[in-house]
PDB file of all heavy atoms in Angstrom:
ATOM      1  N   ARG T1165       6.356   1.580   7.301  1.00  0.00           N
ATOM      2  CA  ARG T1165       5.591   0.988   8.402  1.00  0.00           C
ATOM      3  C   ARG T1165       4.804   2.078   9.144  1.00  0.00           C
ATOM      4  O   ARG T1165       3.671   1.861   9.471  1.00  0.00           O
ATOM      5  CB  ARG T1165       6.566   0.243   9.303  1.00  0.00           C
ATOM      6  CG  ARG T1165       5.783  -0.554  10.373  1.00  0.00           C
ATOM      7  CD  ARG T1165       6.782  -1.236  11.353  1.00  0.00           C
ATOM      8  NE  ARG T1165       7.409  -0.224  12.246  1.00  0.00           N
ATOM      9  CZ  ARG T1165       6.848   0.240  13.398  1.00  0.00           C
ATOM     10  NH1 ARG T1165       5.777  -0.072  13.678  1.00  0.00           N
ATOM     11  NH2 ARG T1165       7.604   0.987  14.067  1.00  0.00           N
ATOM     12  N   HIS T1166       5.353   3.213   9.377  1.00  0.00           N
ATOM     13  CA  HIS T1166       4.698   4.257  10.074  1.00  0.00           C
ATOM     14  C   HIS T1166       3.631   4.857   9.204  1.00  0.00           C
ATOM     15  O   HIS T1166       2.542   5.392   9.606  1.00  0.00           O
ATOM     16  CB  HIS T1166       5.733   5.279  10.476  1.00  0.00           C
ATOM     17  CG  HIS T1166       6.573   4.876  11.633  1.00  0.00           C
ATOM     18  ND1 HIS T1166       7.841   4.339  11.451  1.00  0.00           N
ATOM     19  CD2 HIS T1166       6.280   4.926  13.065  1.00  0.00           C
ATOM     20  CE1 HIS T1166       8.316   4.015  12.629  1.00  0.00           C
ATOM     21  NE2 HIS T1166       7.433   4.284  13.634  1.00  0.00           N
ATOM     22  N   MET T1167       3.913   4.940   7.871  1.00  0.00           N
ATOM     23  CA  MET T1167       2.978   5.465   6.922  1.00  0.00           C
ATOM     24  C   MET T1167       1.732   4.507   6.978  1.00  0.00           C
ATOM     25  O   MET T1167       0.546   4.934   6.983  1.00  0.00           O
ATOM     26  CB  MET T1167       3.538   5.295   5.583  1.00  0.00           C
ATOM     27  CG  MET T1167       2.630   5.903   4.447  1.00  0.00           C
ATOM     28  SD  MET T1167       3.485   6.008   2.944  1.00  0.00           S
ATOM     29  CE  MET T1167       2.251   6.509   1.850  1.00  0.00           C
ATOM     30  N   TRP T1168       1.969   3.149   7.168  1.00  0.00           N
ATOM     31  CA  TRP T1168       0.690   2.297   7.216  1.00  0.00           C
ATOM     32  C   TRP T1168       0.054   2.455   8.544  1.00  0.00           C
ATOM     33  O   TRP T1168      -1.272   2.294   8.532  1.00  0.00           O
ATOM     34  CB  TRP T1168       1.142   0.706   7.114  1.00  0.00           C
ATOM     35  CG  TRP T1168       0.130  -0.189   7.542  1.00  0.00           C
ATOM     36  CD1 TRP T1168       0.295  -1.024   8.639  1.00  0.00           C
ATOM     37  CD2 TRP T1168      -1.133  -0.459   7.062  1.00  0.00           C
ATOM     38  NE1 TRP T1168      -0.886  -1.817   8.770  1.00  0.00           N
ATOM     39  CE2 TRP T1168      -1.732  -1.457   7.790  1.00  0.00           C
ATOM     40  CE3 TRP T1168      -1.841   0.107   6.044  1.00  0.00           C
ATOM     41  CZ2 TRP T1168      -3.027  -1.954   7.580  1.00  0.00           C
ATOM     42  CZ3 TRP T1168      -3.180  -0.342   5.726  1.00  0.00           C
ATOM     43  CH2 TRP T1168      -3.808  -1.367   6.572  1.00  0.00           C
ATOM     44  N   GLU T1169       0.732   2.802   9.559  1.00  0.00           N
ATOM     45  CA  GLU T1169       0.108   3.055  10.875  1.00  0.00           C
ATOM     46  C   GLU T1169      -0.898   4.199  10.816  1.00  0.00           C
ATOM     47  O   GLU T1169      -1.977   4.059  11.369  1.00  0.00           O
ATOM     48  CB  GLU T1169       1.214   3.370  11.982  1.00  0.00           C
ATOM     49  CG  GLU T1169       1.993   2.109  12.329  1.00  0.00           C
ATOM     50  CD  GLU T1169       1.327   0.922  12.917  1.00  0.00           C
ATOM     51  OE1 GLU T1169       0.257   1.164  13.588  1.00  0.00           O
ATOM     52  OE2 GLU T1169       1.679  -0.165  12.759  1.00  0.00           O
ATOM     53  N   ASN T1170      -0.609   5.208   9.944  1.00  0.00           N
ATOM     54  CA  ASN T1170      -1.516   6.315   9.808  1.00  0.00           C
ATOM     55  C   ASN T1170      -2.623   5.873   8.877  1.00  0.00           C
ATOM     56  O   ASN T1170      -3.780   6.454   9.008  1.00  0.00           O
ATOM     57  CB  ASN T1170      -0.682   7.466   9.157  1.00  0.00           C
ATOM     58  CG  ASN T1170       0.272   8.124  10.217  1.00  0.00           C
ATOM     59  OD1 ASN T1170       0.119   7.870  11.425  1.00  0.00           O
ATOM     60  ND2 ASN T1170       1.442   8.694   9.624  1.00  0.00           N
ATOM     61  N   MET T1171      -2.362   5.099   7.839  1.00  0.00           N
ATOM     62  CA  MET T1171      -3.335   4.777   6.865  1.00  0.00           C
ATOM     63  C   MET T1171      -4.313   3.888   7.417  1.00  0.00           C
ATOM     64  O   MET T1171      -5.594   3.999   7.104  1.00  0.00           O
ATOM     65  CB  MET T1171      -2.634   4.067   5.756  1.00  0.00           C
ATOM     66  CG  MET T1171      -3.649   3.644   4.520  1.00  0.00           C
ATOM     67  SD  MET T1171      -2.747   2.860   3.211  1.00  0.00           S
ATOM     68  CE  MET T1171      -4.134   2.358   2.119  1.00  0.00           C
ATOM     69  N   LYS T1172      -3.940   2.986   8.295  1.00  0.00           N
ATOM     70  CA  LYS T1172      -4.948   2.017   8.784  1.00  0.00           C
ATOM     71  C   LYS T1172      -5.933   2.589   9.799  1.00  0.00           C
ATOM     72  O   LYS T1172      -6.912   1.939  10.199  1.00  0.00           O
ATOM     73  CB  LYS T1172      -4.134   0.824   9.464  1.00  0.00           C
ATOM     74  CG  LYS T1172      -3.691   1.115  10.833  1.00  0.00           C
ATOM     75  CD  LYS T1172      -3.032  -0.187  11.456  1.00  0.00           C
ATOM     76  CE  LYS T1172      -2.533  -0.003  12.753  1.00  0.00           C
ATOM     77  NZ  LYS T1172      -1.880  -1.149  13.399  1.00  0.00           N
ATOM     78  N   LEU T1173      -5.723   3.849  10.270  1.00  0.00           N
ATOM     79  CA  LEU T1173      -6.715   4.515  11.046  1.00  0.00           C
ATOM     80  C   LEU T1173      -8.019   4.810  10.292  1.00  0.00           C
ATOM     81  O   LEU T1173      -9.035   4.798  10.868  1.00  0.00           O
ATOM     82  CB  LEU T1173      -6.175   5.879  11.512  1.00  0.00           C
ATOM     83  CG  LEU T1173      -5.046   5.805  12.421  1.00  0.00           C
ATOM     84  CD1 LEU T1173      -4.567   7.188  12.714  1.00  0.00           C
ATOM     85  CD2 LEU T1173      -5.316   4.954  13.739  1.00  0.00           C
ATOM     86  N   GLN T1174      -8.001   4.826   8.915  1.00  0.00           N
ATOM     87  CA  GLN T1174      -9.023   5.103   8.061  1.00  0.00           C
ATOM     88  C   GLN T1174      -9.431   3.783   7.201  1.00  0.00           C
ATOM     89  O   GLN T1174     -10.655   3.567   7.038  1.00  0.00           O
ATOM     90  CB  GLN T1174      -8.845   6.190   6.988  1.00  0.00           C
ATOM     91  CG  GLN T1174      -8.547   7.514   7.839  1.00  0.00           C
ATOM     92  CD  GLN T1174      -8.292   8.696   6.732  1.00  0.00           C
ATOM     93  OE1 GLN T1174      -9.033   8.694   5.745  1.00  0.00           O
ATOM     94  NE2 GLN T1174      -7.350   9.426   7.014  1.00  0.00           N
ATOM     95  N   PHE T1175      -8.439   3.031   6.883  1.00  0.00           N
ATOM     96  CA  PHE T1175      -8.612   1.911   5.999  1.00  0.00           C
ATOM     97  C   PHE T1175      -7.992   0.659   6.642  1.00  0.00           C
ATOM     98  O   PHE T1175      -6.783   0.434   6.603  1.00  0.00           O
ATOM     99  CB  PHE T1175      -7.965   2.144   4.662  1.00  0.00           C
ATOM    100  CG  PHE T1175      -8.333   3.495   3.977  1.00  0.00           C
ATOM    101  CD1 PHE T1175      -7.519   4.545   4.010  1.00  0.00           C
ATOM    102  CD2 PHE T1175      -9.514   3.614   3.314  1.00  0.00           C
ATOM    103  CE1 PHE T1175      -7.830   5.770   3.500  1.00  0.00           C
ATOM    104  CE2 PHE T1175      -9.966   4.864   2.811  1.00  0.00           C
ATOM    105  CZ  PHE T1175      -9.119   5.930   2.922  1.00  0.00           C
ATOM    106  N   LYS T1176      -8.783  -0.100   7.411  1.00  0.00           N
ATOM    107  CA  LYS T1176      -8.310  -1.202   7.932  1.00  0.00           C
ATOM    108  C   LYS T1176      -8.435  -2.574   7.121  1.00  0.00           C
ATOM    109  O   LYS T1176      -9.302  -2.629   6.245  1.00  0.00           O
ATOM    110  CB  LYS T1176      -9.114  -1.396   9.271  1.00  0.00           C
ATOM    111  CG  LYS T1176      -9.149  -0.257  10.176  1.00  0.00           C
ATOM    112  CD  LYS T1176      -9.941  -0.541  11.524  1.00  0.00           C
ATOM    113  CE  LYS T1176     -10.128   0.674  12.321  1.00  0.00           C
ATOM    114  NZ  LYS T1176      -8.715   0.992  12.897  1.00  0.00           N
ATOM    115  N   GLY T1177      -7.535  -3.476   7.328  1.00  0.00           N
ATOM    116  CA  GLY T1177      -7.541  -4.800   6.673  1.00  0.00           C
ATOM    117  C   GLY T1177      -6.209  -5.088   6.112  1.00  0.00           C
ATOM    118  O   GLY T1177      -5.306  -4.233   5.789  1.00  0.00           O
ATOM    119  N   THR T1178      -6.011  -6.429   6.071  1.00  0.00           N
ATOM    120  CA  THR T1178      -4.745  -7.089   5.482  1.00  0.00           C
ATOM    121  C   THR T1178      -4.557  -6.648   4.074  1.00  0.00           C
ATOM    122  O   THR T1178      -3.476  -6.364   3.542  1.00  0.00           O
ATOM    123  CB  THR T1178      -4.634  -8.483   5.715  1.00  0.00           C
ATOM    124  OG1 THR T1178      -4.944  -8.686   7.022  1.00  0.00           O
ATOM    125  CG2 THR T1178      -3.270  -8.987   5.295  1.00  0.00           C
ATOM    126  N   GLU T1179      -5.678  -6.563   3.332  1.00  0.00           N
ATOM    127  CA  GLU T1179      -5.667  -6.354   1.819  1.00  0.00           C
ATOM    128  C   GLU T1179      -4.971  -4.876   1.675  1.00  0.00           C
ATOM    129  O   GLU T1179      -4.176  -4.734   0.640  1.00  0.00           O
ATOM    130  CB  GLU T1179      -6.904  -6.500   1.158  1.00  0.00           C
ATOM    131  CG  GLU T1179      -6.852  -6.613  -0.292  1.00  0.00           C
ATOM    132  CD  GLU T1179      -8.162  -7.082  -0.866  1.00  0.00           C
ATOM    133  OE1 GLU T1179      -9.119  -7.308  -0.069  1.00  0.00           O
ATOM    134  OE2 GLU T1179      -8.276  -7.248  -2.117  1.00  0.00           O
ATOM    135  N   TYR T1180      -5.512  -3.982   2.310  1.00  0.00           N
ATOM    136  CA  TYR T1180      -4.960  -2.553   2.074  1.00  0.00           C
ATOM    137  C   TYR T1180      -3.366  -2.623   2.411  1.00  0.00           C
ATOM    138  O   TYR T1180      -2.634  -1.923   1.734  1.00  0.00           O
ATOM    139  CB  TYR T1180      -5.627  -1.509   3.104  1.00  0.00           C
ATOM    140  CG  TYR T1180      -7.109  -1.228   2.693  1.00  0.00           C
ATOM    141  CD1 TYR T1180      -8.065  -1.742   3.403  1.00  0.00           C
ATOM    142  CD2 TYR T1180      -7.282  -0.409   1.573  1.00  0.00           C
ATOM    143  CE1 TYR T1180      -9.338  -1.439   3.076  1.00  0.00           C
ATOM    144  CE2 TYR T1180      -8.512  -0.087   1.322  1.00  0.00           C
ATOM    145  CZ  TYR T1180      -9.700  -0.625   1.953  1.00  0.00           C
ATOM    146  OH  TYR T1180     -10.934  -0.281   1.683  1.00  0.00           O
ATOM    147  N   LYS T1181      -2.963  -3.243   3.489  1.00  0.00           N
ATOM    148  CA  LYS T1181      -1.619  -3.345   3.876  1.00  0.00           C
ATOM    149  C   LYS T1181      -0.710  -3.981   2.886  1.00  0.00           C
ATOM    150  O   LYS T1181       0.236  -3.340   2.541  1.00  0.00           O
ATOM    151  CB  LYS T1181      -1.484  -4.065   5.304  1.00  0.00           C
ATOM    152  CG  LYS T1181      -0.086  -4.211   5.831  1.00  0.00           C
ATOM    153  CD  LYS T1181      -0.062  -4.988   7.091  1.00  0.00           C
ATOM    154  CE  LYS T1181       1.438  -5.286   7.670  1.00  0.00           C
ATOM    155  NZ  LYS T1181       1.354  -6.007   8.816  1.00  0.00           N
ATOM    156  N   ASN T1182      -1.168  -5.129   2.300  1.00  0.00           N
ATOM    157  CA  ASN T1182      -0.324  -5.783   1.350  1.00  0.00           C
ATOM    158  C   ASN T1182      -0.222  -4.953   0.075  1.00  0.00           C
ATOM    159  O   ASN T1182       0.755  -4.911  -0.473  1.00  0.00           O
ATOM    160  CB  ASN T1182      -1.148  -7.190   1.130  1.00  0.00           C
ATOM    161  CG  ASN T1182      -0.967  -8.071   2.329  1.00  0.00           C
ATOM    162  OD1 ASN T1182      -0.165  -7.930   3.119  1.00  0.00           O
ATOM    163  ND2 ASN T1182      -1.794  -9.089   2.167  1.00  0.00           N
ATOM    164  N   LEU T1183      -1.167  -4.283  -0.327  1.00  0.00           N
ATOM    165  CA  LEU T1183      -1.171  -3.485  -1.669  1.00  0.00           C
ATOM    166  C   LEU T1183      -0.321  -2.299  -1.397  1.00  0.00           C
ATOM    167  O   LEU T1183       0.448  -1.970  -2.309  1.00  0.00           O
ATOM    168  CB  LEU T1183      -2.680  -3.112  -1.980  1.00  0.00           C
ATOM    169  CG  LEU T1183      -3.601  -4.168  -2.594  1.00  0.00           C
ATOM    170  CD1 LEU T1183      -4.857  -3.615  -2.778  1.00  0.00           C
ATOM    171  CD2 LEU T1183      -2.924  -4.788  -3.809  1.00  0.00           C
ATOM    172  N   LEU T1184      -0.292  -1.757  -0.207  1.00  0.00           N
ATOM    173  CA  LEU T1184       0.609  -0.579   0.158  1.00  0.00           C
ATOM    174  C   LEU T1184       2.055  -1.069   0.014  1.00  0.00           C
ATOM    175  O   LEU T1184       2.860  -0.329  -0.608  1.00  0.00           O
ATOM    176  CB  LEU T1184       0.308   0.043   1.422  1.00  0.00           C
ATOM    177  CG  LEU T1184       1.131   1.132   1.900  1.00  0.00           C
ATOM    178  CD1 LEU T1184       1.087   2.330   0.845  1.00  0.00           C
ATOM    179  CD2 LEU T1184       0.909   1.607   3.323  1.00  0.00           C
ATOM    180  N   TRP T1185       2.327  -2.245   0.627  1.00  0.00           N
ATOM    181  CA  TRP T1185       3.720  -2.663   0.705  1.00  0.00           C
ATOM    182  C   TRP T1185       4.119  -3.027  -0.641  1.00  0.00           C
ATOM    183  O   TRP T1185       5.388  -2.879  -1.058  1.00  0.00           O
ATOM    184  CB  TRP T1185       3.847  -3.753   1.709  1.00  0.00           C
ATOM    185  CG  TRP T1185       4.084  -3.123   3.034  1.00  0.00           C
ATOM    186  CD1 TRP T1185       3.138  -3.106   3.976  1.00  0.00           C
ATOM    187  CD2 TRP T1185       5.275  -2.799   3.681  1.00  0.00           C
ATOM    188  NE1 TRP T1185       3.703  -2.627   5.218  1.00  0.00           N
ATOM    189  CE2 TRP T1185       4.999  -2.415   4.932  1.00  0.00           C
ATOM    190  CE3 TRP T1185       6.598  -2.684   3.155  1.00  0.00           C
ATOM    191  CZ2 TRP T1185       6.048  -2.015   5.759  1.00  0.00           C
ATOM    192  CZ3 TRP T1185       7.544  -2.224   4.009  1.00  0.00           C
ATOM    193  CH2 TRP T1185       7.259  -1.672   5.297  1.00  0.00           C
ATOM    194  N   ARG T1186       3.337  -3.704  -1.588  1.00  0.00           N
ATOM    195  CA  ARG T1186       3.623  -4.111  -2.882  1.00  0.00           C
ATOM    196  C   ARG T1186       3.977  -2.974  -3.728  1.00  0.00           C
ATOM    197  O   ARG T1186       4.957  -2.852  -4.445  1.00  0.00           O
ATOM    198  CB  ARG T1186       2.504  -4.859  -3.380  1.00  0.00           C
ATOM    199  CG  ARG T1186       2.440  -6.299  -2.863  1.00  0.00           C
ATOM    200  CD  ARG T1186       1.105  -6.993  -3.414  1.00  0.00           C
ATOM    201  NE  ARG T1186       0.930  -8.159  -2.663  1.00  0.00           N
ATOM    202  CZ  ARG T1186      -0.380  -8.876  -2.801  1.00  0.00           C
ATOM    203  NH1 ARG T1186      -1.300  -8.376  -3.408  1.00  0.00           N
ATOM    204  NH2 ARG T1186      -0.446 -10.019  -2.070  1.00  0.00           N
ATOM    205  N   ALA T1187       3.129  -1.800  -3.627  1.00  0.00           N
ATOM    206  CA  ALA T1187       3.372  -0.481  -4.294  1.00  0.00           C
ATOM    207  C   ALA T1187       4.682   0.072  -3.873  1.00  0.00           C
ATOM    208  O   ALA T1187       5.542   0.560  -4.776  1.00  0.00           O
ATOM    209  CB  ALA T1187       2.292   0.506  -4.200  1.00  0.00           C
ATOM    210  N   ALA T1188       5.010   0.120  -2.560  1.00  0.00           N
ATOM    211  CA  ALA T1188       6.234   0.605  -2.024  1.00  0.00           C
ATOM    212  C   ALA T1188       7.369  -0.072  -2.458  1.00  0.00           C
ATOM    213  O   ALA T1188       8.562   0.474  -2.699  1.00  0.00           O
ATOM    214  CB  ALA T1188       6.179   0.758  -0.506  1.00  0.00           C
ATOM    215  N   GLY T1189       7.376  -1.525  -2.522  1.00  0.00           N
ATOM    216  CA  GLY T1189       8.537  -2.306  -2.818  1.00  0.00           C
ATOM    217  C   GLY T1189       8.773  -2.495  -4.328  1.00  0.00           C
ATOM    218  O   GLY T1189       9.659  -3.069  -4.758  1.00  0.00           O
ATOM    219  N   ALA T1190       7.925  -1.954  -5.275  1.00  0.00           N
ATOM    220  CA  ALA T1190       7.908  -2.058  -6.662  1.00  0.00           C
ATOM    221  C   ALA T1190       9.353  -1.465  -7.219  1.00  0.00           C
ATOM    222  O   ALA T1190       9.624  -0.291  -6.761  1.00  0.00           O
ATOM    223  CB  ALA T1190       6.860  -1.686  -7.296  1.00  0.00           C
ATOM    224  N   GLY T1191      10.026  -2.086  -8.000  1.00  0.00           N
ATOM    225  CA  GLY T1191      11.326  -1.534  -8.474  1.00  0.00           C
ATOM    226  C   GLY T1191      11.258  -0.666  -9.783  1.00  0.00           C
ATOM    227  O   GLY T1191      12.062   0.216  -9.915  1.00  0.00           O
ATOM    228  N   THR T1192      10.020  -0.850 -10.504  1.00  0.00           N
ATOM    229  CA  THR T1192       9.793  -0.160 -11.678  1.00  0.00           C
ATOM    230  C   THR T1192       8.575   0.678 -11.614  1.00  0.00           C
ATOM    231  O   THR T1192       7.696   0.362 -10.852  1.00  0.00           O
ATOM    232  CB  THR T1192       9.817  -1.058 -12.935  1.00  0.00           C
ATOM    233  OG1 THR T1192       8.674  -1.959 -12.847  1.00  0.00           O
ATOM    234  CG2 THR T1192      11.153  -1.799 -12.988  1.00  0.00           C
ATOM    235  N   GLU T1193       8.514   1.815 -12.359  1.00  0.00           N
ATOM    236  CA  GLU T1193       7.336   2.634 -12.356  1.00  0.00           C
ATOM    237  C   GLU T1193       6.139   1.735 -12.888  1.00  0.00           C
ATOM    238  O   GLU T1193       4.969   2.136 -12.377  1.00  0.00           O
ATOM    239  CB  GLU T1193       7.664   3.867 -13.120  1.00  0.00           C
ATOM    240  CG  GLU T1193       8.568   4.741 -12.530  1.00  0.00           C
ATOM    241  CD  GLU T1193       8.519   6.224 -13.168  1.00  0.00           C
ATOM    242  OE1 GLU T1193       7.500   6.545 -13.748  1.00  0.00           O
ATOM    243  OE2 GLU T1193       9.568   6.856 -13.214  1.00  0.00           O
ATOM    244  N   ARG T1194       6.371   1.011 -13.880  1.00  0.00           N
ATOM    245  CA  ARG T1194       5.246   0.239 -14.506  1.00  0.00           C
ATOM    246  C   ARG T1194       4.571  -0.631 -13.514  1.00  0.00           C
ATOM    247  O   ARG T1194       3.436  -0.677 -13.383  1.00  0.00           O
ATOM    248  CB  ARG T1194       5.652  -0.601 -15.652  1.00  0.00           C
ATOM    249  CG  ARG T1194       4.674  -1.382 -16.353  1.00  0.00           C
ATOM    250  CD  ARG T1194       3.427  -0.626 -16.680  1.00  0.00           C
ATOM    251  NE  ARG T1194       2.428  -1.552 -17.359  1.00  0.00           N
ATOM    252  CZ  ARG T1194       1.049  -1.193 -17.559  1.00  0.00           C
ATOM    253  NH1 ARG T1194       0.624  -0.031 -17.064  1.00  0.00           N
ATOM    254  NH2 ARG T1194       0.340  -2.020 -18.190  1.00  0.00           N
ATOM    255  N   SER T1195       5.466  -1.349 -12.730  1.00  0.00           N
ATOM    256  CA  SER T1195       4.973  -2.274 -11.679  1.00  0.00           C
ATOM    257  C   SER T1195       4.227  -1.424 -10.552  1.00  0.00           C
ATOM    258  O   SER T1195       3.162  -1.867 -10.019  1.00  0.00           O
ATOM    259  CB  SER T1195       6.070  -3.085 -11.087  1.00  0.00           C
ATOM    260  OG  SER T1195       5.626  -3.887 -10.052  1.00  0.00           O
ATOM    261  N   TRP T1196       4.806  -0.221 -10.304  1.00  0.00           N
ATOM    262  CA  TRP T1196       4.258   0.527  -9.262  1.00  0.00           C
ATOM    263  C   TRP T1196       2.809   1.043  -9.697  1.00  0.00           C
ATOM    264  O   TRP T1196       1.878   0.953  -8.811  1.00  0.00           O
ATOM    265  CB  TRP T1196       5.068   1.734  -9.066  1.00  0.00           C
ATOM    266  CG  TRP T1196       4.504   2.760  -8.021  1.00  0.00           C
ATOM    267  CD1 TRP T1196       4.466   2.613  -6.657  1.00  0.00           C
ATOM    268  CD2 TRP T1196       3.957   4.064  -8.415  1.00  0.00           C
ATOM    269  NE1 TRP T1196       3.913   3.773  -6.090  1.00  0.00           N
ATOM    270  CE2 TRP T1196       3.579   4.697  -7.195  1.00  0.00           C
ATOM    271  CE3 TRP T1196       3.696   4.802  -9.562  1.00  0.00           C
ATOM    272  CZ2 TRP T1196       2.966   5.996  -7.133  1.00  0.00           C
ATOM    273  CZ3 TRP T1196       3.096   6.033  -9.587  1.00  0.00           C
ATOM    274  CH2 TRP T1196       2.809   6.557  -8.365  1.00  0.00           C
ATOM    275  N   GLU T1197       2.618   1.389 -10.934  1.00  0.00           N
ATOM    276  CA  GLU T1197       1.322   1.851 -11.497  1.00  0.00           C
ATOM    277  C   GLU T1197       0.336   0.756 -11.385  1.00  0.00           C
ATOM    278  O   GLU T1197      -0.845   1.041 -11.133  1.00  0.00           O
ATOM    279  CB  GLU T1197       1.432   2.286 -12.869  1.00  0.00           C
ATOM    280  CG  GLU T1197       2.335   3.541 -13.070  1.00  0.00           C
ATOM    281  CD  GLU T1197       2.560   3.879 -14.501  1.00  0.00           C
ATOM    282  OE1 GLU T1197       2.304   3.032 -15.470  1.00  0.00           O
ATOM    283  OE2 GLU T1197       3.184   4.999 -14.696  1.00  0.00           O
ATOM    284  N   LEU T1198       0.736  -0.455 -11.604  1.00  0.00           N
ATOM    285  CA  LEU T1198      -0.252  -1.648 -11.544  1.00  0.00           C
ATOM    286  C   LEU T1198      -0.699  -1.922 -10.087  1.00  0.00           C
ATOM    287  O   LEU T1198      -1.826  -2.084  -9.960  1.00  0.00           O
ATOM    288  CB  LEU T1198       0.392  -2.921 -12.080  1.00  0.00           C
ATOM    289  CG  LEU T1198       0.803  -2.925 -13.626  1.00  0.00           C
ATOM    290  CD1 LEU T1198       1.637  -4.233 -13.902  1.00  0.00           C
ATOM    291  CD2 LEU T1198      -0.522  -2.917 -14.449  1.00  0.00           C
ATOM    292  N   HIS T1199       0.257  -1.741  -9.138  1.00  0.00           N
ATOM    293  CA  HIS T1199      -0.129  -1.937  -7.686  1.00  0.00           C
ATOM    294  C   HIS T1199      -1.065  -0.736  -7.357  1.00  0.00           C
ATOM    295  O   HIS T1199      -2.014  -0.973  -6.448  1.00  0.00           O
ATOM    296  CB  HIS T1199       1.121  -2.088  -6.866  1.00  0.00           C
ATOM    297  CG  HIS T1199       1.729  -3.310  -7.103  1.00  0.00           C
ATOM    298  ND1 HIS T1199       1.174  -4.555  -6.945  1.00  0.00           N
ATOM    299  CD2 HIS T1199       3.164  -3.448  -7.418  1.00  0.00           C
ATOM    300  CE1 HIS T1199       2.177  -5.501  -7.352  1.00  0.00           C
ATOM    301  NE2 HIS T1199       3.393  -4.926  -7.430  1.00  0.00           N
ATOM    302  N   MET T1200      -0.794   0.446  -7.810  1.00  0.00           N
ATOM    303  CA  MET T1200      -1.552   1.618  -7.424  1.00  0.00           C
ATOM    304  C   MET T1200      -2.989   1.459  -8.083  1.00  0.00           C
ATOM    305  O   MET T1200      -3.977   1.856  -7.442  1.00  0.00           O
ATOM    306  CB  MET T1200      -0.929   2.975  -7.896  1.00  0.00           C
ATOM    307  CG  MET T1200       0.364   3.215  -7.113  1.00  0.00           C
ATOM    308  SD  MET T1200       0.037   3.573  -5.325  1.00  0.00           S
ATOM    309  CE  MET T1200      -0.904   5.001  -5.365  1.00  0.00           C
ATOM    310  N   GLN T1201      -3.073   0.856  -9.209  1.00  0.00           N
ATOM    311  CA  GLN T1201      -4.413   0.716  -9.883  1.00  0.00           C
ATOM    312  C   GLN T1201      -5.198  -0.323  -9.087  1.00  0.00           C
ATOM    313  O   GLN T1201      -6.455  -0.231  -9.040  1.00  0.00           O
ATOM    314  CB  GLN T1201      -4.184   0.260 -11.271  1.00  0.00           C
ATOM    315  CG  GLN T1201      -5.443   0.193 -12.027  1.00  0.00           C
ATOM    316  CD  GLN T1201      -6.180   1.393 -12.228  1.00  0.00           C
ATOM    317  OE1 GLN T1201      -5.664   2.442 -12.420  1.00  0.00           O
ATOM    318  NE2 GLN T1201      -7.587   1.296 -12.025  1.00  0.00           N
ATOM    319  N   ALA T1202      -4.545  -1.265  -8.511  1.00  0.00           N
ATOM    320  CA  ALA T1202      -5.089  -2.365  -7.588  1.00  0.00           C
ATOM    321  C   ALA T1202      -5.622  -1.643  -6.489  1.00  0.00           C
ATOM    322  O   ALA T1202      -6.826  -2.041  -5.964  1.00  0.00           O
ATOM    323  CB  ALA T1202      -4.273  -3.466  -7.348  1.00  0.00           C
TER     324      ALA T1202
END
């Protein structure tokens, strides 16, 4: 949450927030790589 507070100073918008949380919550590396690619 604090990481997003720093990130949104440069990249605003719900889409950035949702993608960050999806990447952070991914349980497997393959799923994490897909969210990072998004």
Side-chain angles (χ1 to χ4, degrees):
R1165 188 181 71 83
H1166 289 90
M1167 186 175 173
W1168 162 245
E1169 293 297 326
N1170 294 332
M1171 180 181 176
K1172 75 178 185 180
L1173 297 177
Q1174 303 180 40
F1175 310 100
K1176 302 181 184 296
T1178 306
E1179 195 167 3
Y1180 288 107
K1181 177 182 179 181
N1182 293 339
L1183 288 175
L1184 175 65
W1185 276 100
R1186 288 170 188 167
T1192 62
E1193 290 192 29
R1194 177 56 181 161
S1195 178
W1196 176 76
E1197 291 172 356
L1198 292 175
H1199 293 306
M1200 291 298 295
Q1201 185 61 43

